[in-house]
């Protein structure tokens, strides 16, 4: 009876995905087994799997298991570099074949690793294979460096919004461009992904969108024509046309990275009033936390001020209380139809907001470095804060147009709020409330009351009402 052989075929990259390369290797190995009179007991394939790294190759792991169990007598491959491509892997293979007596065979001949000559030849072939890896790596790095200098696109897979040559794919570029504007006007990534899925806008691989992969696409520098290499911006102008301007892209990235957004699964904000409510003592903005365990071992969400942690209040109660008071004020509000020009203004204001925040950060860094003095820091920060206040007030006015329901219809408001993501509900609250102040809790008080929060409403400017705030 002839030797039992396992055929192993591997190719590092199958660009077409058709498996033609490994099929040719398998055919050559089968012909060799037929010539030698060996019985092929198994064929194992690693397609598009590199042997140049220390990552485990699933197929090769199966081959090693067959050798260890004594199920095969010879391993057949097209070339030795299909089985190993560095000397560390070779030495492990030498130890295994010495214990089991298994030999290696290729289209160019057999390798008996149990003999000195066989091991010597295997090490020479392994060194030659590793040299080929290093030469190939040097070529690829040179090609990448040249690509960076010319700014040409070099994408292994077609990215969303583009063709492989850098041209825009209109059916994807237009929704992507709109997504940047939607994010900067307060819409959540979750809601945009849901809308794309409903409209049949899918990923380049034909999959549905999730918040995570859409967020990744929005944060890709290529959309703004920014060329990167090894994760860093090169400063070289990209040769392709950007989908969005650079300032819009950077404002969106800053918004998505803002820790105060704190969005969770399903697009729902973990804390509706995070960054909106403030502490009446220290003026710090509210952040979300968890209470200590009660006697039943349970914990619940709370709001507490970020600065001094002066006050705490149950988050679910406060969210519900503010929404109920908002509905109580509904008959005092008049909404206007959505204004495209106002939406465009909202996007521009978000971009300006991002630039002002970046300016404040730069001033602080210059002060630490000793480049500017404290007076310059204070003046620059005050000017930026003044403009930021104006921007936030205007954004609050624009947000009114996005409510999309008649605020005088209380049932419609509640129904609409149930269907909205928390980003939109938050925009309504910021439109209606000038401030939400958390008051010190009474000693020994367990349940919160209305007196524990002070709401200041923005009254709409009409012919019958003054524009002054009303505190309730």
């Amino acid at each position: 009876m002839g030797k039992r052989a396992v055929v192993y075929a591997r190719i590092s990259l199958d660009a077409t995905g058709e498996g033609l390369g490994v099929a040719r290797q398998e055919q050559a190995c089968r012909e060799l087994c037929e010539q030698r009179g060996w019985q092929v007991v198994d064929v194992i394939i690693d397609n598009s799997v590199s042997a140049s790294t220390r990552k485990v190759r699933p197929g090769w792991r199966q081959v090693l298991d067959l050798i260890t169990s004594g199920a095969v007598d010879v391993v057949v491959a097209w070339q030795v570099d299909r089985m190993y491509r560095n000397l560390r892997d070779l030495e492990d293979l030498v130890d295994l074949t010495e214990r089991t007596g298994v030999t290696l065979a290729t289209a160019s001949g057999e390798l008996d690793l149990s003999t000195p000559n066989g091991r010597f030849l295997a090490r020479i072939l392994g060194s030659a294979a590793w040299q080929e890896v290093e030469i190939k790596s040097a070529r690829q790095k040179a090609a990448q460096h040249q690509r960076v200098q010319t700014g040409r696109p070099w994408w292994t897979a077609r990215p969303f919004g583009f063709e492989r040559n850098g041209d825009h794919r209109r059916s994807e570029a237009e929704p992507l461009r709109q997504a940047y504007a939607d994010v900067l006007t307060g819409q959540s990534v979750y809601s945009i992904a849901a809308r794309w899925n409903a409209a049949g806008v899918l990923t380049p691989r034909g999959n549905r969108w999730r918040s995570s992969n859409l967020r990744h696409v929005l944060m890709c520098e290529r959309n703004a024509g920014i060329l990167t290499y090894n994760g860093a911006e090169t400063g070289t102008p990209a040769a392709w046309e950007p989908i969005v301007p650079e300032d819009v892209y950077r404002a969106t990235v800053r918004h998505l990275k803002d820790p105060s957004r704190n969005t969770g699964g399903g697009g729902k904000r973990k804390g509706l009033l995070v960054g909106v409510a403030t502490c009446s003592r220290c003026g710090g903005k509210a952040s979300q936390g968890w209470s200590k365990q009660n006697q039943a071992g349970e914990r619940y969400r709370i709001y507490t001020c970020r600065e001094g942690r002066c006050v705490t209040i149950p988050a679910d109660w406060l969210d519900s209380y503010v929404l109920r008071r908002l509905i109580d004020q509904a008959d005092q509000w008049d909404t206007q139809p959505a204004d495209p020009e106002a939406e465009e203004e909202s996007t521009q204001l978000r971009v300006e907001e991002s630039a002002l925040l970046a300016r404040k950060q730069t001033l602080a860094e210059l002060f630490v470095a000793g480049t500017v003095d404290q007076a310059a820091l204070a003046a620059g920060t005050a000017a930026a804060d003044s403009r930021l206040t104006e921007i936030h007030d205007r954004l609050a006015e624009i947000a009114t147009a996005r409510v999309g329901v008649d605020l005088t219809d209380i049932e419609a408001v509640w129904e609409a709020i149930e269907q909205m993501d928390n980003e939109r509900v938050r925009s309504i609250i910021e439109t209606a409330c000038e401030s939400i102040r958390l008051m010190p809790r009474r000693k020994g008080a367990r349940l919160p009351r209305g007196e524990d929060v002070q709401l200041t409403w923005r009254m709409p400017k009409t012919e019958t009402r003054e524009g002054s705030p009303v505190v309730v």
Side-chain angles (χ1 to χ4, degrees):
M1 183 177 178
K3 291 183 177 181
R4 299 164 301 169
V6 57
V7 171
Y8 176 68
R10 182 188 65 79
I11 192 170
S12 297
L13 177 62
D14 183 1
T16 65
E18 298 177 358
L20 299 179
V22 289
R24 289 192 296 269
Q25 293 180 27
E26 178 186 348
Q27 180 61 31
C29 293
R30 284 186 176 275
E31 291 176 357
L32 176 63
C33 292
E34 185 177 353
Q35 293 171 7
R36 302 292 179 87
W38 297 337
Q39 177 190 4
V40 177
V41 297
D42 204 350
V43 176
I44 298 177
I45 292 174
D46 275 326
N47 195 32
S48 268
V49 178
S50 174
S52 301
T53 67
R54 297 295 292 175
K55 294 181 180 179
V56 176
R57 291 169 279 155
W60 183 244
R61 172 53 56 191
Q62 296 179 43
V63 173
L64 295 179
D65 290 341
L66 289 174
I67 297 174
T68 303
S69 65
V72 296
D73 303 308
V74 59
V75 180
V76 184
W78 185 55
Q79 293 288 352
V80 292
D81 61 1
R82 301 302 89 191
M83 295 180 279
Y84 62 89
R85 210 160 184 176
N86 61 67
L87 296 180
R88 288 174 296 182
D89 288 344
L90 171 60
E91 296 306 323
D92 292 340
L93 187 57
V94 168
D95 292 340
L96 182 59
T97 56
E98 284 184 342
R99 293 197 308 269
T100 61
V102 170
T103 58
L104 309 181
T106 69
S108 58
E110 289 187 52
L111 282 176
D112 186 356
L113 299 184
S114 64
T115 67
N117 288 338
R119 292 192 293 269
F120 176 69
L121 178 58
R123 291 185 178 108
I124 291 177
L125 294 174
S127 297
W130 187 248
Q131 181 188 29
E132 182 182 345
V133 170
E134 293 182 329
I135 292 174
K136 180 180 178 181
S137 176
R139 288 199 308 267
Q140 291 174 338
K141 289 180 180 179
Q144 287 281 58
H145 182 67
Q146 184 181 38
R147 176 186 66 83
V148 170
Q149 290 181 324
T150 61
R152 293 185 298 107
W154 190 267
W155 300 319
T156 56
R158 185 186 71 79
F160 185 80
F162 294 92
E163 304 292 351
R164 288 288 295 274
N165 63 358
D167 293 340
H168 291 180
R169 178 168 289 197
R170 187 173 180 179
S171 61
E172 296 176 351
E174 290 299 329
L176 182 57
R177 187 177 295 110
Q178 183 61 43
Y180 279 95
D182 292 341
V183 168
L184 291 177
T185 54
Q187 296 188 35
S188 69
V189 177
Y190 173 82
S191 64
I192 297 171
R195 187 167 65 248
W196 280 14
N197 290 332
V201 180
L202 303 177
T203 70
R205 294 188 176 184
N207 299 322
R208 292 172 61 82
W209 289 97
R210 304 184 306 277
S211 298
S212 56
N213 57 1
L214 177 53
R215 185 178 186 274
H216 174 75
V217 168
L218 290 170
M219 296 182 68
C220 285
E221 297 89 345
R222 62 171 170 262
N223 298 329
I226 300 172
L227 192 65
T228 61
Y229 183 61
N230 288 336
E233 296 182 13
T234 64
T236 303
W240 63 88
E241 187 71 21
I243 291 178
V244 294
E246 184 176 338
D247 55 355
V248 171
Y249 162 77
R250 295 196 185 281
T252 302
V253 170
R254 177 180 290 274
H255 176 72
L256 293 176
K257 288 184 175 181
D258 182 3
S260 68
R261 292 180 70 248
N262 197 25
T263 52
K268 294 298 184 181
R269 191 182 184 92
K270 293 182 180 179
L272 180 64
L273 301 177
V274 168
V276 177
T278 59
C279 174
S280 60
R281 286 185 174 178
C282 68
K285 292 185 177 181
S287 62
Q288 182 178 265
W290 290 91
S291 69
K292 296 180 180 179
Q293 289 186 353
N294 57 22
Q295 293 181 349
E298 299 172 336
R299 302 172 68 198
Y300 53 88
R301 291 188 312 116
I302 60 173
Y303 289 125
T304 182
C305 53
R306 295 177 185 173
E307 305 300 329
R309 298 190 177 274
C310 312
V311 297
T312 61
I313 194 167
D316 291 338
W317 178 89
L318 183 60
D319 291 348
S320 177
Y321 177 78
V322 171
L323 288 174
R324 289 200 309 272
R325 297 308 304 270
L326 173 66
I327 300 303
D328 292 341
Q329 298 290 318
D331 61 347
Q332 302 180 34
W333 287 89
D334 299 314
T335 60
Q336 301 295 326
D339 183 357
E341 293 184 0
E343 295 300 307
E344 176 64 24
E345 181 187 358
S346 177
T347 299
Q348 295 174 356
L349 289 172
R350 289 292 187 185
V351 172
E352 185 180 355
E353 176 192 37
S354 177
L356 287 169
L357 293 173
R359 184 186 304 172
K360 290 179 61 177
Q361 179 65 29
T362 300
L363 281 172
E365 293 172 354
L366 291 175
F367 174 73
V368 172
T371 307
V372 299
D373 57 20
Q374 187 170 3
L377 173 65
T381 301
D385 286 340
S386 176
R387 178 54 183 157
L388 284 170
T389 299
E390 295 175 359
I391 289 174
H392 294 158
D393 287 344
R394 177 57 182 152
L395 287 172
E397 294 174 7
I398 295 174
T400 305
R402 289 193 229 108
V403 174
V405 296
D406 180 4
L407 286 176
T408 61
D409 186 345
I410 295 178
E411 292 185 1
V413 173
W414 276 115
E415 182 178 353
I417 286 176
E418 286 295 322
Q419 299 299 321
M420 292 178 187
D421 57 65
N422 279 17
E423 291 290 340
R424 292 197 64 192
V425 177
R426 173 188 171 88
S427 72
I428 297 173
I429 293 174
E430 289 182 308
T431 299
C433 296
E434 183 171 294
S435 66
I436 302 174
R437 302 178 70 222
L438 306 181
M439 310 302 291
R441 300 281 302 279
R442 306 173 310 282
K443 290 186 177 180
R446 293 186 176 182
L447 298 178
R449 299 180 180 178
E451 61 195 60
D452 295 329
V453 56
Q454 184 182 80
L455 299 177
T456 303
W457 301 98
R458 302 178 194 269
M459 296 297 293
K461 296 180 181 180
T462 66
E463 295 180 358
T464 58
R465 295 188 180 93
E466 298 296 331
S468 57
V470 174
V471 179
V472 294

